[in-house]
Amino acid sequence: MAGPNILLITSDQQHWNTIGAFNPEIRTPNLDRLVREGTTFSRAYCPNPTCTPTRASIVTGMYPSQHGAWTLGTKLAEDRITVGDLLRKEGYRTALIGKAHFQPVFSTAEYPSLEGKEKLHDFEFWKTFSGPYYGFERAEMARNHTNEWLVGQHYALWMEKRGCANWRDYFMPPIGTMDPKSKYRWAIPENYHYNTWIAERSGELLDDYKESGESFFLWASFPDPHPPYLVPEPWDTMYDPESITVPTVTPGEHDANPPHFRMTQERNPDFSSYRETGFGIHGYHSHVNLTEEDRKKQVAVYYGMISFMDRCIGRILDKLDALGLADHTVVVFTTDHGHFFGQHGLQAKGGFHYEDLIRVPFVVKYPGRVPAGKKSASLQSLVDLAPTFLSLAGARIPGAMTGIDQSAVWFDPESKARDHAICEFRHEPTTIHQKTYVDERYKMTVYYNRTYGELFDLAEDPGELRNLWDDERFRGLKSELLLKYIWAELGKEPMPMPRISGA
């Protein structure tokens, strides 16, 4: 029998605790269904808390420091071998529908980008291009989050085909004409939203795969709930801002943290000394300029975005069932990284490796192989997806992949393949460069050329409010964890080929 089909469903920038099965303040009936039918891994981590680096890790099975797309505004080199390339050699059909973000939004002569503004709106090009792209024989893409001017590619063509001749009314200038002052309620009808497009096109591909009888690897990649906070009605008012728990900073929690944490709580902080490349720096700005009303409304709309996306995920799962494919399909739901909506006084993302940002929702379903209704604390990393998919398909895992095969753990969630995870964040060449080592109890973050750092005891301090880095009582623990971190770095070096002779 051929290897199982693989359906990867991802969101973008979704906090780990936004699945209704575990959080009664949000409603996600279809993700709850996956939780009932599969195993939830509660300790899953991203290899980088931004989009391009982690998404490149998902397809290469390598860390950002290894595959080369080390930050936003870089690209994954086209010659990198991906899980899609290798699965295609095993006879799999491969497709990506939705957000890719393997390349930046601008191009240069040396580093052209297929996802850059120079190509996004070249609709004649997108009418004839659908791959191959990083191992996906079919790639149909959308680069925008909600109403961003980055809208284009296959998504814009689909809107026109569906009869939305005025689609530019729902997007920002210069490509669109939407009023920049509009907030929270997005006037675009549901049936023209990219969630609908992703569900529809994913279903149509499932029809094709069923008809051909071929194994498939399909990535349904949703751009939500990444800000801007916009969602069509009625989802924008689904949640009452006054009835939702809105996290906030704990007084004094940043006193022992590195300086950039404290600076985020100032009205007009000066982060100029961190700026090297001249490009924007995620998170290194004031996080205290929102009104209380906006803080509450943003969370309510963020939840609404997730619930709307959940309904469209349900359409894909329903199609899988209706076609009789579910029993022979591995379904994985996760996101590329987390999100702040007030935790520690922070918003969105940046160089702050709290659980809120680097821990991700992670559910695996495979009827008869992965236990149903289970919850496991066995450590997972998104860099493990590629080697695990290859293992499930019966394919050889190349030595260049540094992720770990988790298939045995998925089948037996009481077991473990990892004793740690590593998360990287390098947003500037030298000034913003950090790595986090996290094990079953402790978390440590080190900074390039800096003597400050972070050390949290996740058992005693799950809210990460007490940084123990400079606490003399924990000097021995810090030394032990630094050594374990160095071992972890040595252990994740790739070995592209085995040693085959003495010299």
Side-chain angles (χ1 to χ4, degrees):
M1 177 182 288
N5 305 312
I6 299 167
L7 173 59
L8 174 62
I9 304 174
T10 60
S11 58
D12 190 338
Q13 199 163 313
Q14 183 176 351
H15 190 277
W16 65 267
N17 193 28
T18 52
I19 294 179
F22 309 110
N23 179 354
E25 293 192 357
I26 190 170
R27 295 190 287 281
T28 56
N30 294 290
L31 293 181
D32 296 355
R33 166 181 159 195
L34 276 182
V35 168
R36 291 192 304 271
E37 296 175 349
T39 293
T40 301
F41 290 92
S42 61
R43 295 291 306 281
Y45 291 88
C46 64
N48 185 292
T50 57
C51 298
T52 297
T54 277
R55 289 169 177 272
S57 290
I58 288 173
V59 295
T60 62
M62 304 173 76
Y63 288 85
S65 57
Q66 298 165 340
H67 58 57
W70 56 276
T71 190
L72 296 173
T74 67
K75 67 185 292 186
L76 179 64
E78 286 89 349
D79 61 357
R80 291 295 187 189
I81 302 299
T82 69
V83 63
D85 291 320
L86 299 171
L87 286 175
R88 289 180 71 184
K89 291 181 178 180
E90 300 295 320
Y92 277 70
R93 302 286 301 278
T94 62
L96 166 71
I97 305 296
K99 177 175 176 177
H101 204 173
F102 302 133
Q103 298 190 2
V105 298
F106 290 95
S107 293
T108 67
E110 186 176 3
Y111 301 106
S113 173
L114 198 64
E115 301 181 51
K117 72 179 185 69
E118 298 82 2
K119 275 290 184 186
L120 286 177
H121 307 137
D122 183 354
F123 297 119
E124 291 304 312
F125 171 81
W126 295 107
K127 286 177 182 177
T128 59
F129 177 85
S130 60
Y133 196 58
Y134 292 105
F136 296 102
E137 62 172 304
R138 174 166 291 277
E140 297 180 18
M141 295 181 281
R143 183 60 190 81
N144 57 296
H145 302 104
T146 66
N147 68 338
E148 290 178 336
W149 63 270
L150 298 169
V151 63
Q153 299 172 291
H154 301 97
Y155 170 49
L157 293 176
W158 174 84
M159 283 189 287
E160 290 187 351
K161 183 178 179 181
R162 285 286 298 264
C164 187
N166 67 324
W167 62 267
R168 295 173 189 268
D169 293 347
Y170 307 120
F171 298 92
M172 296 287 285
I175 188 66
T177 59
M178 183 174 170
D179 183 355
K181 298 186 182 67
S182 298
K183 295 198 304 184
Y184 305 134
R185 173 173 292 178
W186 194 11
I188 191 170
E190 274 189 40
N191 59 324
Y192 298 135
H193 193 281
Y194 45 65
N195 286 350
T196 303
W197 166 64
I198 293 168
E200 179 180 292
R201 287 297 297 133
S202 296
E204 289 169 352
L205 286 175
L206 291 176
D207 283 329
D208 292 344
Y209 300 146
K210 172 66 176 181
E211 183 176 353
S212 69
E214 296 170 290
S215 298
F216 62 83
F217 168 43
L218 171 61
W219 183 357
S221 180
F222 289 86
D224 280 359
H226 188 297
Y229 300 95
L230 282 169
V231 71
E233 57 181 344
W235 309 94
D236 61 313
T237 57
M238 181 175 182
Y239 296 96
D240 177 6
E242 300 301 325
S243 301
I244 296 176
T245 301
V246 180
T248 189
V249 68
T250 298
E253 70 167 286
H254 293 310
D255 290 352
N257 283 344
H260 60 279
F261 287 84
R262 297 189 294 276
M263 293 168 69
T264 64
Q265 304 306 297
E266 300 172 6
R267 289 289 178 187
N268 296 292
D270 181 6
F271 281 103
S272 59
S273 63
Y274 293 87
R275 192 179 300 274
E276 288 177 274
T277 61
F279 297 110
I281 303 176
H282 270 291
Y284 281 51
H285 54 75
S286 175
H287 288 241
V288 298
N289 293 323
L290 282 174
T291 66
E292 188 66 16
E293 180 183 9
D294 278 335
R295 290 182 67 241
K296 292 178 180 179
K297 185 62 176 176
Q298 285 186 1
V299 180
V301 173
Y302 182 77
Y303 279 16
M305 294 168 77
I306 293 171
S307 290
F308 177 31
M309 177 182 66
D310 175 85
R311 191 173 77 171
C312 293
I313 289 172
R315 288 180 56 185
I316 300 174
L317 299 177
D318 289 344
K319 172 67 78 168
L320 198 69
D321 288 342
L323 293 173
L325 295 170
D327 286 346
H328 196 54
T329 301
V330 179
V331 179
V332 176
F333 170 77
T334 188
T335 192
D336 53 2
H337 54 80
H339 180 68
F340 295 115
F341 47 93
Q343 297 90 342
H344 309 285
L346 300 171
Q347 301 289 331
K349 61 190 174 191
F352 319 98
H353 282 187
Y354 290 116
E355 295 287 279
D356 306 284
L357 190 57
I358 70 171
R359 188 172 160 193
V360 294
F362 196 95
V363 187
V364 181
K365 174 193 170 186
Y366 186 10
R369 300 300 304 274
V370 173
K374 293 287 186 180
K375 188 175 181 181
S376 172
S378 186
L379 290 167
Q380 306 280 317
S381 173
L382 299 185
V383 76
D384 299 336
L385 286 174
T388 304
F389 290 159
L390 291 172
S391 176
L392 292 170
R396 186 182 70 84
I397 301 169
M401 285 191 176
T402 49
I404 294 174
D405 174 11
Q406 294 273 6
S407 58
V409 180
W410 291 5
F411 297 155
D412 177 14
E414 300 299 319
S415 64
K416 66 178 184 179
R418 284 186 169 277
D419 61 10
H420 71 274
I422 286 182
C423 184
E424 307 177 342
F425 184 74
R426 188 175 186 180
H427 217 50
E428 293 282 16
T430 63
T431 58
I432 306 175
H433 186 187
Q434 68 204 63
K435 293 189 181 183
T436 290
Y437 169 93
V438 57
D439 63 20
E440 293 178 354
R441 177 168 181 173
Y442 298 105
K443 176 189 285 184
M444 168 177 282
T445 301
V446 296
Y447 294 82
Y448 179 61
N449 281 346
R450 300 289 188 272
T451 57
Y452 53 65
E454 298 150 47
L455 172 58
F456 292 104
D457 183 340
L458 297 177
E460 295 295 324
D461 179 26
E464 300 173 275
L465 301 178
R466 299 185 297 277
N467 183 7
L468 307 176
W469 180 269
D470 288 323
D471 192 321
E472 288 297 315
R473 295 172 297 172
F474 297 92
R475 178 185 292 182
L477 174 64
K478 183 167 78 170
S479 296
E480 177 185 342
L481 290 174
L482 283 169
L483 184 58
K484 287 184 175 180
Y485 162 68
I486 294 169
W487 289 342
E489 280 293 327
L490 293 172
K492 73 179 180 67
E493 291 183 1
M495 289 189 290
M497 68 169 284
R499 188 177 185 188
I500 59 173
S501 72

